[in-house]
Amino acid sequence: ETGVTQSPTHLIKTRGQQVTLRCSSQSGHNTVSWYQQALGQGPQFIFQYYREEENGRGNFPPRFSGLQFPNYSSELNVNALELDDSALYLCASSRNTNSYNEQFFGPGTRLTVL
Amino acid sequence: AQTVTQSQPEMSVQEAETVTLSCTYDTSENNYYLFWYKQPPSRQMILVIRQEAYKQQNATENRFSVNFQKAAKSFSLKISDSQLGDTAMYFCAFMTLGNNDMRFGAGTRLTVKP
């Protein structure tokens, strides 16, 4: 059983640029959630995707958007990058939309915005 | 607002001893789930233990157990017979039934000393 993978591992961008982060869900999982983890803080929920539709969103502006593909992999897109977007971005997959079932996390993508 | 508070930024324990990590949360909901997650230095977050609020019995997973006090909105994690591999950041998390917005605390950095 393949675990959750994320790419790239690290990324450096400048203010105003756009970035796309990718996540492959664990085999058999149809739900992907994205989190932002700033340095020294706990993860914050960005949004969740279920069967290619957004299924819940945290307190993040519209410049944070996402996609889910038929194979349940997912992308997180951030436009007009700001310095405060520097963080570790985690994705987590689960078997259904109810995240009280175990979420399996990926290793994260470290984004640095200069 | 639903918040999770971990008041111990850092803790240490000697190998083979017992340590308790504290967590309090604030909610007006009655049906919810509580979690402890472990994030080792390699960053991949894993679920340690889960508690359903409607269950009075405290959850136990091998060396890990919780003390769930619903009225006090407290959810502490006890690690018995601490091992070097327990060294990690530990996050307390909360989610209400039917909601996929998981709220995390700021974390406690636990160091197990040989």
Side-chain angles (χ1 to χ4, degrees), chain A residues 9 35 37 41-43 45 48 55 88 90 99-100 102-103 105-108, chain B residues 33 35 37 39 42-45 47 50 91 95 97 100-102 104-106:
Chain A
T9 304
Y35 296 85
Q37 186 178 12
Q41 297 182 24
F45 176 72
Q48 182 186 86
N55 184 48
L88 180 68
L90 299 169
S99 296
Y100 54 80
E102 185 169 355
Q103 292 190 89
F105 283 81
Chain B
Y33 296 82
F35 309 84
Y37 279 89
Q39 189 176 40
S42 65
R43 302 182 304 181
Q44 200 139 2
M45 189 113 57
L47 179 66
R50 182 183 82 190
F91 293 97
M95 191 172 65
L97 184 64
N100 45 32
D101 180 356
M102 184 176 285
F104 287 81

PDB file of all heavy atoms in Angstrom, chain A residues 9 35 37 41-43 45 48 55 88 90 99-100 102-103 105-108, chain B residues 33 35 37 39 42-45 47 50 91 95 97 100-102 104-106:
ATOM      1  N   THR A   9       9.582  18.704  -2.541  1.00  0.00           N
ATOM      2  CA  THR A   9       9.896  18.677  -1.109  1.00  0.00           C
ATOM      3  C   THR A   9      10.110  20.096  -0.596  1.00  0.00           C
ATOM      4  O   THR A   9       9.652  20.454   0.484  1.00  0.00           O
ATOM      5  CB  THR A   9      11.157  17.842  -0.863  1.00  0.00           C
ATOM      6  OG1 THR A   9      10.954  16.550  -1.409  1.00  0.00           O
ATOM      7  CG2 THR A   9      11.446  17.732   0.613  1.00  0.00           C
ATOM      8  N   TYR A  35      -3.394  21.392   4.557  1.00  0.00           N
ATOM      9  CA  TYR A  35      -3.136  22.186   5.752  1.00  0.00           C
ATOM     10  C   TYR A  35      -1.900  23.058   5.524  1.00  0.00           C
ATOM     11  O   TYR A  35      -0.963  22.657   4.835  1.00  0.00           O
ATOM     12  CB  TYR A  35      -2.864  21.286   6.963  1.00  0.00           C
ATOM     13  CG  TYR A  35      -4.036  20.423   7.375  1.00  0.00           C
ATOM     14  CD1 TYR A  35      -4.274  19.191   6.776  1.00  0.00           C
ATOM     15  CD2 TYR A  35      -4.900  20.850   8.378  1.00  0.00           C
ATOM     16  CE1 TYR A  35      -5.349  18.403   7.169  1.00  0.00           C
ATOM     17  CE2 TYR A  35      -5.978  20.063   8.778  1.00  0.00           C
ATOM     18  CZ  TYR A  35      -6.185  18.842   8.169  1.00  0.00           C
ATOM     19  OH  TYR A  35      -7.245  18.076   8.553  1.00  0.00           O
ATOM     20  N   GLN A  37       1.117  24.776   7.750  1.00  0.00           N
ATOM     21  CA  GLN A  37       1.747  24.746   9.067  1.00  0.00           C
ATOM     22  C   GLN A  37       2.879  25.771   9.095  1.00  0.00           C
ATOM     23  O   GLN A  37       3.970  25.507   8.574  1.00  0.00           O
ATOM     24  CB  GLN A  37       2.274  23.350   9.403  1.00  0.00           C
ATOM     25  CG  GLN A  37       2.812  23.235  10.820  1.00  0.00           C
ATOM     26  CD  GLN A  37       3.284  21.839  11.175  1.00  0.00           C
ATOM     27  OE1 GLN A  37       3.421  20.969  10.322  1.00  0.00           O
ATOM     28  NE2 GLN A  37       3.521  21.617  12.460  1.00  0.00           N
ATOM     29  N   GLN A  41       3.992  26.458  14.743  1.00  0.00           N
ATOM     30  CA  GLN A  41       2.550  26.395  14.976  1.00  0.00           C
ATOM     31  C   GLN A  41       1.991  25.051  14.546  1.00  0.00           C
ATOM     32  O   GLN A  41       2.659  24.258  13.877  1.00  0.00           O
ATOM     33  CB  GLN A  41       1.855  27.517  14.196  1.00  0.00           C
ATOM     34  CG  GLN A  41       2.253  28.918  14.632  1.00  0.00           C
ATOM     35  CD  GLN A  41       1.505  29.982  13.862  1.00  0.00           C
ATOM     36  OE1 GLN A  41       0.418  29.743  13.348  1.00  0.00           O
ATOM     37  NE2 GLN A  41       2.090  31.170  13.790  1.00  0.00           N
ATOM     38  N   GLY A  42       0.747  24.815  14.928  1.00  0.00           N
ATOM     39  CA  GLY A  42       0.057  23.627  14.466  1.00  0.00           C
ATOM     40  C   GLY A  42      -0.521  23.846  13.083  1.00  0.00           C
ATOM     41  O   GLY A  42      -0.654  24.985  12.625  1.00  0.00           O
ATOM     42  N   PRO A  43      -0.855  22.768  12.398  1.00  0.00           N
ATOM     43  CA  PRO A  43      -1.451  22.898  11.056  1.00  0.00           C
ATOM     44  C   PRO A  43      -2.783  23.630  11.101  1.00  0.00           C
ATOM     45  O   PRO A  43      -3.534  23.508  12.061  1.00  0.00           O
ATOM     46  CB  PRO A  43      -1.636  21.443  10.618  1.00  0.00           C
ATOM     47  CG  PRO A  43      -0.685  20.648  11.462  1.00  0.00           C
ATOM     48  CD  PRO A  43      -0.636  21.355  12.769  1.00  0.00           C
ATOM     49  N   PHE A  45      -6.272  24.158   8.732  1.00  0.00           N
ATOM     50  CA  PHE A  45      -7.041  23.571   7.640  1.00  0.00           C
ATOM     51  C   PHE A  45      -7.271  24.598   6.540  1.00  0.00           C
ATOM     52  O   PHE A  45      -7.783  25.688   6.802  1.00  0.00           O
ATOM     53  CB  PHE A  45      -8.375  23.072   8.201  1.00  0.00           C
ATOM     54  CG  PHE A  45      -9.333  22.519   7.190  1.00  0.00           C
ATOM     55  CD1 PHE A  45      -9.111  21.294   6.583  1.00  0.00           C
ATOM     56  CD2 PHE A  45     -10.479  23.225   6.857  1.00  0.00           C
ATOM     57  CE1 PHE A  45     -10.019  20.770   5.669  1.00  0.00           C
ATOM     58  CE2 PHE A  45     -11.396  22.712   5.948  1.00  0.00           C
ATOM     59  CZ  PHE A  45     -11.158  21.486   5.358  1.00  0.00           C
ATOM     60  N   GLN A  48     -10.746  20.875   1.834  1.00  0.00           N
ATOM     61  CA  GLN A  48     -10.821  19.442   1.592  1.00  0.00           C
ATOM     62  C   GLN A  48     -11.452  19.201   0.225  1.00  0.00           C
ATOM     63  O   GLN A  48     -12.364  19.931  -0.187  1.00  0.00           O
ATOM     64  CB  GLN A  48     -11.668  18.751   2.673  1.00  0.00           C
ATOM     65  CG  GLN A  48     -11.749  17.237   2.521  1.00  0.00           C
ATOM     66  CD  GLN A  48     -12.700  16.615   3.516  1.00  0.00           C
ATOM     67  OE1 GLN A  48     -13.899  16.512   3.301  1.00  0.00           O
ATOM     68  NE2 GLN A  48     -12.142  16.180   4.648  1.00  0.00           N
ATOM     69  N   ASN A  55     -14.971  20.407  -0.585  1.00  0.00           N
ATOM     70  CA  ASN A  55     -15.912  19.919   0.434  1.00  0.00           C
ATOM     71  C   ASN A  55     -15.556  20.503   1.802  1.00  0.00           C
ATOM     72  O   ASN A  55     -15.286  19.798   2.741  1.00  0.00           O
ATOM     73  CB  ASN A  55     -15.854  18.384   0.470  1.00  0.00           C
ATOM     74  CG  ASN A  55     -16.862  17.792   1.419  1.00  0.00           C
ATOM     75  OD1 ASN A  55     -18.025  18.153   1.397  1.00  0.00           O
ATOM     76  ND2 ASN A  55     -16.423  16.888   2.276  1.00  0.00           N
ATOM     77  N   LEU A  88       5.095  25.101   5.901  1.00  0.00           N
ATOM     78  CA  LEU A  88       5.059  23.711   5.457  1.00  0.00           C
ATOM     79  C   LEU A  88       3.622  23.406   5.062  1.00  0.00           C
ATOM     80  O   LEU A  88       2.700  23.648   5.847  1.00  0.00           O
ATOM     81  CB  LEU A  88       5.505  22.790   6.599  1.00  0.00           C
ATOM     82  CG  LEU A  88       5.539  21.290   6.311  1.00  0.00           C
ATOM     83  CD1 LEU A  88       6.635  20.954   5.306  1.00  0.00           C
ATOM     84  CD2 LEU A  88       5.755  20.511   7.612  1.00  0.00           C
ATOM     85  N   LEU A  90       0.935  20.627   4.182  1.00  0.00           N
ATOM     86  CA  LEU A  90       0.678  19.205   4.367  1.00  0.00           C
ATOM     87  C   LEU A  90      -0.606  18.804   3.667  1.00  0.00           C
ATOM     88  O   LEU A  90      -1.591  19.548   3.697  1.00  0.00           O
ATOM     89  CB  LEU A  90       0.534  18.881   5.856  1.00  0.00           C
ATOM     90  CG  LEU A  90       1.741  19.175   6.754  1.00  0.00           C
ATOM     91  CD1 LEU A  90       1.347  19.046   8.210  1.00  0.00           C
ATOM     92  CD2 LEU A  90       2.877  18.234   6.433  1.00  0.00           C
ATOM     93  N   SER A  99     -13.424  13.154   8.394  1.00  0.00           N
ATOM     94  CA  SER A  99     -12.013  13.101   8.753  1.00  0.00           C
ATOM     95  C   SER A  99     -11.769  12.543  10.138  1.00  0.00           C
ATOM     96  O   SER A  99     -10.632  12.414  10.548  1.00  0.00           O
ATOM     97  CB  SER A  99     -11.393  14.494   8.634  1.00  0.00           C
ATOM     98  OG  SER A  99     -11.421  14.930   7.300  1.00  0.00           O
ATOM     99  N   TYR A 100     -12.833  12.194  10.882  1.00  0.00           N
ATOM    100  CA  TYR A 100     -12.569  11.499  12.139  1.00  0.00           C
ATOM    101  C   TYR A 100     -12.092  10.088  11.874  1.00  0.00           C
ATOM    102  O   TYR A 100     -11.584   9.427  12.758  1.00  0.00           O
ATOM    103  CB  TYR A 100     -13.801  11.511  13.045  1.00  0.00           C
ATOM    104  CG  TYR A 100     -15.070  10.993  12.423  1.00  0.00           C
ATOM    105  CD1 TYR A 100     -15.313   9.634  12.313  1.00  0.00           C
ATOM    106  CD2 TYR A 100     -16.034  11.862  11.957  1.00  0.00           C
ATOM    107  CE1 TYR A 100     -16.476   9.170  11.748  1.00  0.00           C
ATOM    108  CE2 TYR A 100     -17.214  11.399  11.394  1.00  0.00           C
ATOM    109  CZ  TYR A 100     -17.432  10.046  11.294  1.00  0.00           C
ATOM    110  OH  TYR A 100     -18.587   9.571  10.735  1.00  0.00           O
ATOM    111  N   GLU A 102      -9.251   7.913  10.167  1.00  0.00           N
ATOM    112  CA  GLU A 102      -7.855   8.286  10.218  1.00  0.00           C
ATOM    113  C   GLU A 102      -7.411   8.984   8.951  1.00  0.00           C
ATOM    114  O   GLU A 102      -7.658   8.506   7.846  1.00  0.00           O
ATOM    115  CB  GLU A 102      -6.975   7.066  10.469  1.00  0.00           C
ATOM    116  CG  GLU A 102      -5.499   7.427  10.648  1.00  0.00           C
ATOM    117  CD  GLU A 102      -4.672   6.274  11.163  1.00  0.00           C
ATOM    118  OE1 GLU A 102      -5.253   5.215  11.474  1.00  0.00           O
ATOM    119  OE2 GLU A 102      -3.446   6.430  11.257  1.00  0.00           O
ATOM    120  N   GLN A 103      -6.768  10.123   9.130  1.00  0.00           N
ATOM    121  CA  GLN A 103      -6.132  10.827   8.035  1.00  0.00           C
ATOM    122  C   GLN A 103      -4.677  10.396   7.998  1.00  0.00           C
ATOM    123  O   GLN A 103      -4.022  10.320   9.031  1.00  0.00           O
ATOM    124  CB  GLN A 103      -6.184  12.341   8.246  1.00  0.00           C
ATOM    125  CG  GLN A 103      -7.566  12.942   8.150  1.00  0.00           C
ATOM    126  CD  GLN A 103      -7.494  14.453   8.136  1.00  0.00           C
ATOM    127  OE1 GLN A 103      -7.384  15.080   7.098  1.00  0.00           O
ATOM    128  NE2 GLN A 103      -7.549  15.041   9.310  1.00  0.00           N
ATOM    129  N   PHE A 105      -1.073  11.499   6.640  1.00  0.00           N
ATOM    130  CA  PHE A 105      -0.404  12.710   6.175  1.00  0.00           C
ATOM    131  C   PHE A 105       0.796  12.399   5.291  1.00  0.00           C
ATOM    132  O   PHE A 105       1.489  11.394   5.470  1.00  0.00           O
ATOM    133  CB  PHE A 105       0.081  13.540   7.374  1.00  0.00           C
ATOM    134  CG  PHE A 105      -1.013  14.298   8.059  1.00  0.00           C
ATOM    135  CD1 PHE A 105      -1.848  13.686   8.973  1.00  0.00           C
ATOM    136  CD2 PHE A 105      -1.206  15.647   7.766  1.00  0.00           C
ATOM    137  CE1 PHE A 105      -2.867  14.392   9.609  1.00  0.00           C
ATOM    138  CE2 PHE A 105      -2.213  16.363   8.390  1.00  0.00           C
ATOM    139  CZ  PHE A 105      -3.040  15.732   9.313  1.00  0.00           C
ATOM    140  N   GLY A 106       1.039  13.312   4.357  1.00  0.00           N
ATOM    141  CA  GLY A 106       2.252  13.266   3.575  1.00  0.00           C
ATOM    142  C   GLY A 106       3.383  13.963   4.305  1.00  0.00           C
ATOM    143  O   GLY A 106       3.175  14.562   5.369  1.00  0.00           O
ATOM    144  N   PRO A 107       4.587  13.928   3.746  1.00  0.00           N
ATOM    145  CA  PRO A 107       5.743  14.533   4.397  1.00  0.00           C
ATOM    146  C   PRO A 107       5.777  16.055   4.304  1.00  0.00           C
ATOM    147  O   PRO A 107       6.536  16.701   5.018  1.00  0.00           O
ATOM    148  CB  PRO A 107       6.934  13.917   3.663  1.00  0.00           C
ATOM    149  CG  PRO A 107       6.389  13.584   2.315  1.00  0.00           C
ATOM    150  CD  PRO A 107       4.954  13.199   2.528  1.00  0.00           C
ATOM    151  N   GLY A 108       4.957  16.631   3.424  1.00  0.00           N
ATOM    152  CA  GLY A 108       4.881  18.079   3.328  1.00  0.00           C
ATOM    153  C   GLY A 108       5.769  18.677   2.257  1.00  0.00           C
ATOM    154  O   GLY A 108       6.724  18.045   1.775  1.00  0.00           O
TER     155      GLY A 108
ATOM    156  N   TYR B  33     -14.713  14.886  18.149  1.00  0.00           N
ATOM    157  CA  TYR B  33     -13.620  13.931  18.241  1.00  0.00           C
ATOM    158  C   TYR B  33     -12.353  14.675  18.649  1.00  0.00           C
ATOM    159  O   TYR B  33     -12.130  15.814  18.242  1.00  0.00           O
ATOM    160  CB  TYR B  33     -13.400  13.233  16.900  1.00  0.00           C
ATOM    161  CG  TYR B  33     -14.576  12.388  16.474  1.00  0.00           C
ATOM    162  CD1 TYR B  33     -15.686  12.966  15.850  1.00  0.00           C
ATOM    163  CD2 TYR B  33     -14.594  11.022  16.706  1.00  0.00           C
ATOM    164  CE1 TYR B  33     -16.778  12.208  15.483  1.00  0.00           C
ATOM    165  CE2 TYR B  33     -15.681  10.252  16.331  1.00  0.00           C
ATOM    166  CZ  TYR B  33     -16.767  10.854  15.726  1.00  0.00           C
ATOM    167  OH  TYR B  33     -17.840  10.095  15.366  1.00  0.00           O
ATOM    168  N   PHE B  35      -8.017  14.171  19.057  1.00  0.00           N
ATOM    169  CA  PHE B  35      -6.910  13.391  18.519  1.00  0.00           C
ATOM    170  C   PHE B  35      -5.587  13.872  19.129  1.00  0.00           C
ATOM    171  O   PHE B  35      -5.439  15.042  19.479  1.00  0.00           O
ATOM    172  CB  PHE B  35      -6.798  13.577  16.996  1.00  0.00           C
ATOM    173  CG  PHE B  35      -8.059  13.356  16.223  1.00  0.00           C
ATOM    174  CD1 PHE B  35      -8.993  14.371  16.083  1.00  0.00           C
ATOM    175  CD2 PHE B  35      -8.309  12.136  15.611  1.00  0.00           C
ATOM    176  CE1 PHE B  35     -10.156  14.185  15.354  1.00  0.00           C
ATOM    177  CE2 PHE B  35      -9.477  11.939  14.880  1.00  0.00           C
ATOM    178  CZ  PHE B  35     -10.396  12.960  14.755  1.00  0.00           C
ATOM    179  N   TYR B  37      -1.717  13.732  17.614  1.00  0.00           N
ATOM    180  CA  TYR B  37      -0.858  13.400  16.493  1.00  0.00           C
ATOM    181  C   TYR B  37       0.598  13.596  16.904  1.00  0.00           C
ATOM    182  O   TYR B  37       0.930  14.493  17.689  1.00  0.00           O
ATOM    183  CB  TYR B  37      -1.145  14.308  15.286  1.00  0.00           C
ATOM    184  CG  TYR B  37      -2.341  13.893  14.467  1.00  0.00           C
ATOM    185  CD1 TYR B  37      -3.617  14.376  14.776  1.00  0.00           C
ATOM    186  CD2 TYR B  37      -2.210  13.022  13.393  1.00  0.00           C
ATOM    187  CE1 TYR B  37      -4.718  14.000  14.014  1.00  0.00           C
ATOM    188  CE2 TYR B  37      -3.304  12.654  12.629  1.00  0.00           C
ATOM    189  CZ  TYR B  37      -4.550  13.141  12.952  1.00  0.00           C
ATOM    190  OH  TYR B  37      -5.636  12.762  12.202  1.00  0.00           O
ATOM    191  N   GLN B  39       4.466  14.239  15.341  1.00  0.00           N
ATOM    192  CA  GLN B  39       5.211  14.681  14.168  1.00  0.00           C
ATOM    193  C   GLN B  39       6.697  14.585  14.480  1.00  0.00           C
ATOM    194  O   GLN B  39       7.293  15.481  15.055  1.00  0.00           O
ATOM    195  CB  GLN B  39       4.826  16.108  13.782  1.00  0.00           C
ATOM    196  CG  GLN B  39       5.394  16.562  12.446  1.00  0.00           C
ATOM    197  CD  GLN B  39       4.919  17.957  12.051  1.00  0.00           C
ATOM    198  OE1 GLN B  39       4.825  18.851  12.887  1.00  0.00           O
ATOM    199  NE2 GLN B  39       4.594  18.146  10.771  1.00  0.00           N
ATOM    200  N   SER B  42      11.275  13.978  11.011  1.00  0.00           N
ATOM    201  CA  SER B  42      11.139  13.730   9.568  1.00  0.00           C
ATOM    202  C   SER B  42       9.886  14.357   8.995  1.00  0.00           C
ATOM    203  O   SER B  42       9.669  14.318   7.787  1.00  0.00           O
ATOM    204  CB  SER B  42      11.124  12.228   9.293  1.00  0.00           C
ATOM    205  OG  SER B  42       9.973  11.644   9.878  1.00  0.00           O
ATOM    206  N   ARG B  43       9.035  14.938   9.852  1.00  0.00           N
ATOM    207  CA  ARG B  43       7.854  15.731   9.502  1.00  0.00           C
ATOM    208  C   ARG B  43       6.566  14.975   9.222  1.00  0.00           C
ATOM    209  O   ARG B  43       5.530  15.556   9.245  1.00  0.00           O
ATOM    210  CB  ARG B  43       8.132  16.672   8.312  1.00  0.00           C
ATOM    211  CG  ARG B  43       9.247  17.634   8.507  1.00  0.00           C
ATOM    212  CD  ARG B  43       9.400  18.518   7.308  1.00  0.00           C
ATOM    213  NE  ARG B  43       9.594  17.760   6.079  1.00  0.00           N
ATOM    214  CZ  ARG B  43       9.762  18.349   4.901  1.00  0.00           C
ATOM    215  NH1 ARG B  43       9.731  19.651   4.779  1.00  0.00           N
ATOM    216  NH2 ARG B  43       9.935  17.603   3.832  1.00  0.00           N
ATOM    217  N   GLN B  44       6.586  13.695   8.897  1.00  0.00           N
ATOM    218  CA  GLN B  44       5.339  13.026   8.551  1.00  0.00           C
ATOM    219  C   GLN B  44       4.516  12.811   9.807  1.00  0.00           C
ATOM    220  O   GLN B  44       4.939  12.142  10.741  1.00  0.00           O
ATOM    221  CB  GLN B  44       5.622  11.690   7.846  1.00  0.00           C
ATOM    222  CG  GLN B  44       4.475  11.176   7.053  1.00  0.00           C
ATOM    223  CD  GLN B  44       4.920  10.584   5.713  1.00  0.00           C
ATOM    224  OE1 GLN B  44       6.112  10.528   5.406  1.00  0.00           O
ATOM    225  NE2 GLN B  44       3.973  10.143   4.912  1.00  0.00           N
ATOM    226  N   MET B  45       3.352  13.387   9.835  1.00  0.00           N
ATOM    227  CA  MET B  45       2.466  13.357  10.992  1.00  0.00           C
ATOM    228  C   MET B  45       1.732  12.020  11.045  1.00  0.00           C
ATOM    229  O   MET B  45       1.240  11.540  10.022  1.00  0.00           O
ATOM    230  CB  MET B  45       1.449  14.478  10.863  1.00  0.00           C
ATOM    231  CG  MET B  45       0.597  14.729  12.066  1.00  0.00           C
ATOM    232  SD  MET B  45       0.911  16.290  12.850  1.00  0.00           S
ATOM    233  CE  MET B  45       0.611  17.389  11.516  1.00  0.00           C
ATOM    234  N   LEU B  47      -1.130   9.551  13.422  1.00  0.00           N
ATOM    235  CA  LEU B  47      -2.126   9.530  14.485  1.00  0.00           C
ATOM    236  C   LEU B  47      -1.648   8.637  15.620  1.00  0.00           C
ATOM    237  O   LEU B  47      -1.243   7.505  15.394  1.00  0.00           O
ATOM    238  CB  LEU B  47      -3.457   9.020  13.940  1.00  0.00           C
ATOM    239  CG  LEU B  47      -4.605   8.910  14.932  1.00  0.00           C
ATOM    240  CD1 LEU B  47      -5.022  10.289  15.439  1.00  0.00           C
ATOM    241  CD2 LEU B  47      -5.787   8.196  14.294  1.00  0.00           C
ATOM    242  N   ARG B  50      -7.135   8.409  19.360  1.00  0.00           N
ATOM    243  CA  ARG B  50      -8.358   9.150  19.056  1.00  0.00           C
ATOM    244  C   ARG B  50      -9.398   8.867  20.136  1.00  0.00           C
ATOM    245  O   ARG B  50      -9.477   7.748  20.651  1.00  0.00           O
ATOM    246  CB  ARG B  50      -8.884   8.712  17.701  1.00  0.00           C
ATOM    247  CG  ARG B  50     -10.138   9.447  17.238  1.00  0.00           C
ATOM    248  CD  ARG B  50     -10.628   8.890  15.916  1.00  0.00           C
ATOM    249  NE  ARG B  50     -11.411   7.679  16.100  1.00  0.00           N
ATOM    250  CZ  ARG B  50     -11.779   6.897  15.107  1.00  0.00           C
ATOM    251  NH1 ARG B  50     -11.416   7.165  13.877  1.00  0.00           N
ATOM    252  NH2 ARG B  50     -12.510   5.823  15.341  1.00  0.00           N
ATOM    253  N   PHE B  91       0.802  17.049  18.698  1.00  0.00           N
ATOM    254  CA  PHE B  91      -0.287  17.992  18.481  1.00  0.00           C
ATOM    255  C   PHE B  91      -1.603  17.393  18.946  1.00  0.00           C
ATOM    256  O   PHE B  91      -1.941  16.265  18.589  1.00  0.00           O
ATOM    257  CB  PHE B  91      -0.412  18.352  16.991  1.00  0.00           C
ATOM    258  CG  PHE B  91       0.742  19.139  16.460  1.00  0.00           C
ATOM    259  CD1 PHE B  91       1.776  18.505  15.780  1.00  0.00           C
ATOM    260  CD2 PHE B  91       0.806  20.507  16.631  1.00  0.00           C
ATOM    261  CE1 PHE B  91       2.841  19.222  15.284  1.00  0.00           C
ATOM    262  CE2 PHE B  91       1.873  21.246  16.130  1.00  0.00           C
ATOM    263  CZ  PHE B  91       2.890  20.591  15.464  1.00  0.00           C
ATOM    264  N   MET B  95     -12.202  17.996  16.285  1.00  0.00           N
ATOM    265  CA  MET B  95     -13.087  18.143  15.144  1.00  0.00           C
ATOM    266  C   MET B  95     -14.509  17.793  15.550  1.00  0.00           C
ATOM    267  O   MET B  95     -14.723  16.801  16.236  1.00  0.00           O
ATOM    268  CB  MET B  95     -12.649  17.241  13.996  1.00  0.00           C
ATOM    269  CG  MET B  95     -13.343  17.529  12.687  1.00  0.00           C
ATOM    270  SD  MET B  95     -12.604  16.593  11.370  1.00  0.00           S
ATOM    271  CE  MET B  95     -13.008  14.958  11.909  1.00  0.00           C
ATOM    272  N   LEU B  97     -18.444  16.606  14.849  1.00  0.00           N
ATOM    273  CA  LEU B  97     -19.092  15.614  14.000  1.00  0.00           C
ATOM    274  C   LEU B  97     -19.705  16.297  12.789  1.00  0.00           C
ATOM    275  O   LEU B  97     -20.390  17.318  12.908  1.00  0.00           O
ATOM    276  CB  LEU B  97     -20.182  14.908  14.810  1.00  0.00           C
ATOM    277  CG  LEU B  97     -20.912  13.772  14.112  1.00  0.00           C
ATOM    278  CD1 LEU B  97     -19.953  12.642  13.795  1.00  0.00           C
ATOM    279  CD2 LEU B  97     -22.058  13.273  14.988  1.00  0.00           C
ATOM    280  N   ASN B 100     -15.341  18.911   8.595  1.00  0.00           N
ATOM    281  CA  ASN B 100     -14.019  18.400   8.250  1.00  0.00           C
ATOM    282  C   ASN B 100     -12.902  19.399   8.550  1.00  0.00           C
ATOM    283  O   ASN B 100     -11.784  19.225   8.087  1.00  0.00           O
ATOM    284  CB  ASN B 100     -14.000  17.975   6.782  1.00  0.00           C
ATOM    285  CG  ASN B 100     -14.648  19.010   5.898  1.00  0.00           C
ATOM    286  OD1 ASN B 100     -14.587  20.193   6.178  1.00  0.00           O
ATOM    287  ND2 ASN B 100     -15.284  18.575   4.819  1.00  0.00           N
ATOM    288  N   ASP B 101     -13.208  20.440   9.297  1.00  0.00           N
ATOM    289  CA  ASP B 101     -12.211  21.445   9.683  1.00  0.00           C
ATOM    290  C   ASP B 101     -11.568  21.008  10.991  1.00  0.00           C
ATOM    291  O   ASP B 101     -12.102  21.259  12.077  1.00  0.00           O
ATOM    292  CB  ASP B 101     -12.902  22.803   9.829  1.00  0.00           C
ATOM    293  CG  ASP B 101     -11.933  23.900  10.235  1.00  0.00           C
ATOM    294  OD1 ASP B 101     -10.746  23.601  10.470  1.00  0.00           O
ATOM    295  OD2 ASP B 101     -12.376  25.055  10.327  1.00  0.00           O
ATOM    296  N   MET B 102     -10.433  20.337  10.907  1.00  0.00           N
ATOM    297  CA  MET B 102      -9.742  19.865  12.095  1.00  0.00           C
ATOM    298  C   MET B 102      -8.895  21.001  12.657  1.00  0.00           C
ATOM    299  O   MET B 102      -8.097  21.602  11.948  1.00  0.00           O
ATOM    300  CB  MET B 102      -8.861  18.660  11.764  1.00  0.00           C
ATOM    301  CG  MET B 102      -8.191  18.050  12.977  1.00  0.00           C
ATOM    302  SD  MET B 102      -7.256  16.567  12.592  1.00  0.00           S
ATOM    303  CE  MET B 102      -8.559  15.372  12.360  1.00  0.00           C
ATOM    304  N   PHE B 104      -6.002  22.280  15.275  1.00  0.00           N
ATOM    305  CA  PHE B 104      -4.839  21.792  15.979  1.00  0.00           C
ATOM    306  C   PHE B 104      -4.368  22.804  17.014  1.00  0.00           C
ATOM    307  O   PHE B 104      -4.507  24.017  16.827  1.00  0.00           O
ATOM    308  CB  PHE B 104      -3.681  21.552  14.998  1.00  0.00           C
ATOM    309  CG  PHE B 104      -3.836  20.344  14.119  1.00  0.00           C
ATOM    310  CD1 PHE B 104      -4.623  20.382  12.979  1.00  0.00           C
ATOM    311  CD2 PHE B 104      -3.171  19.166  14.419  1.00  0.00           C
ATOM    312  CE1 PHE B 104      -4.754  19.265  12.159  1.00  0.00           C
ATOM    313  CE2 PHE B 104      -3.283  18.047  13.608  1.00  0.00           C
ATOM    314  CZ  PHE B 104      -4.080  18.095  12.485  1.00  0.00           C
ATOM    315  N   GLY B 105      -3.764  22.288  18.085  1.00  0.00           N
ATOM    316  CA  GLY B 105      -3.051  23.155  19.008  1.00  0.00           C
ATOM    317  C   GLY B 105      -1.684  23.496  18.447  1.00  0.00           C
ATOM    318  O   GLY B 105      -1.300  23.042  17.368  1.00  0.00           O
ATOM    319  N   ALA B 106      -0.937  24.311  19.198  1.00  0.00           N
ATOM    320  CA  ALA B 106       0.375  24.770  18.736  1.00  0.00           C
ATOM    321  C   ALA B 106       1.461  23.722  18.913  1.00  0.00           C
ATOM    322  O   ALA B 106       2.563  23.883  18.378  1.00  0.00           O
ATOM    323  CB  ALA B 106       0.771  26.046  19.458  1.00  0.00           C
TER     324      ALA B 106
END
